[in-house]
Amino acid sequence: MTVVTRFAPSPTGFLHIGGARTALFNKLFASHHGGKYLLRIEDTDKKRSTQDAIDAIHDALSWLGLDCDGPVISQSAQRERHAEIAEQLVTAGHAYKCYATPEELTEMRARQKAAGKPTRYDGRWRDRDPADAPAGVDSVIRLRAPQDGKTVLQDMVQGEVTVANDQLDDMILLRSDGSPTYMLSVVVDDHDMGITHIIRGDDHLTNAFRQILLFKAMGWQLPIFGHVPLIHGPDGAKLSKRHGALGAESYREMGFLPEALRNYLLRLGWGHGDDEIITDEQAKEWFDGSGLGKAPARFDTAKLTALNAHYLKATGNSKLAELIKPNLEKAAKTPLTDLNTQRLLAGMESLKERAKTLNDLTDSAALYVRQRPLDLEPKAAKILSDVAIAVLIEARKSMEHIQPWTADAIEKWARRYAESHDLKLGQLAQPLRAAITGSNVSPPIFEVIAIFGQDETLSRISDITKDH
Ligand code: GLU
């Protein structure tokens, strides 16, 4: 059997972080088994589904490296097929037409409520002759669900879960306007797409029982279900807006790398021993359906951030430069020159050691893009007191003789210079940092000075000292 999984988002908004995890699990499970992972857009609710949301889902999946294998299915395009199956079920006697009017059903529910009973369709048209159909009432099609016995689900995650069939009423498959219900569409599509395994959030666990009844009524092979607990926030409550960002694309905007988010989501509800850093290759090798937890995992931004810092350090310098380039250019309001790019690449090793996100990296890398004369940050301006400027004026003269212009040689010079001028190293290095970077913080300053080169460094010092 070839394993076929699917991710089936409803395009009513961004790609939820929980949805991204579902997509990841389905993709990994399929690729572990050498199978296929498909994408179905559940766009039957035309009022709530938007093209923007569909585009956003595709963008986020592709950013996360979770593109599907094969063409994307639109659920609404299969409408006629869904309706056809409902009619087939009627013909086979597994479904029937119900002519109850909305008023009748409202009254039925009110009576059930008053009697303290659960509100369920009472099967009033289940065995009635369609010849009794009242004139002018459009029928719905309902599943003729078993009334006794039980439905058992062998869930990959939840284990065996049982529901008594008298808890499940005869659900509507086709509405009176001829439109298929969600439950019908999902089952027909899963069958038609040849889905063998369905991994999804446990908010769909109760739907699974109704879907199983429908699979059985059609005599179709049941897929294997795995209902994963929803992601919770750090306080243990279901993840919601108040816990922060819910959309996968927000994590992109916050400067997270897709590989870090993938690794993080993988560990949310699935484990392989104590492994925290898991490569894509290992994930594919290990994700065989075991190791999925029954307890809801808690989203922990600090953990995600730590993973991201790890992946940043592991990313090549030119790739990082490419990734931050658009935001860097936006911040600098100018395209990166070749010289700036060279400097950025030379400084990247130290920059990435200190950054946790691409946004941190962009902020710190701006150092290599700013043009002189620099606008001093307030803290840098404070460092550049009259005394500090007097130090710079003298030091600059000596710096003209530094040979070779390397971080090592510059540092050796600085130590010797400070000692012979009765200065602490900081009394020289801090004014240099302020003058050359415009800031009071930077990567190791002698490295930065080496990267800027002698001419640029001396000019930057002159910019600061020339009016004194
Ligand atoms: N469209 C459903 C959702 O977005 C998923 C349905 C399913 O996975 O069966 O929650």
Side-chain angles (χ1 to χ4, degrees), residues 406-418:
T406 61
D408 266 1
I410 297 164
E411 181 167 355
K412 278 202 191 98
W413 163 83
R415 290 187 186 280
R416 249 185 291 121
Y417 186 91

Side-chain angles (χ1 to χ4, degrees), residues 309-328:
H310 165 85
Y311 280 97
L312 267 186
K313 289 189 189 77
T315 304
N317 295 343
S318 40
K319 168 106 188 277
L320 288 175
E322 274 308 305
L323 287 171
I324 61 174
K325 192 173 166 189
N327 282 340
L328 209 47

Side-chain angles (χ1 to χ4, degrees), residues 61-86:
L61 286 175
S62 121
W63 172 67
L64 267 172
L66 299 176
D67 288 314
C68 60
D69 313 319
V72 180
I73 308 287
S74 146
Q75 187 158 64
S76 63
Q78 314 302 320
R79 238 177 96 109
E80 280 179 24
R81 163 82 178 148
H82 303 156
E84 190 185 295
I85 293 295

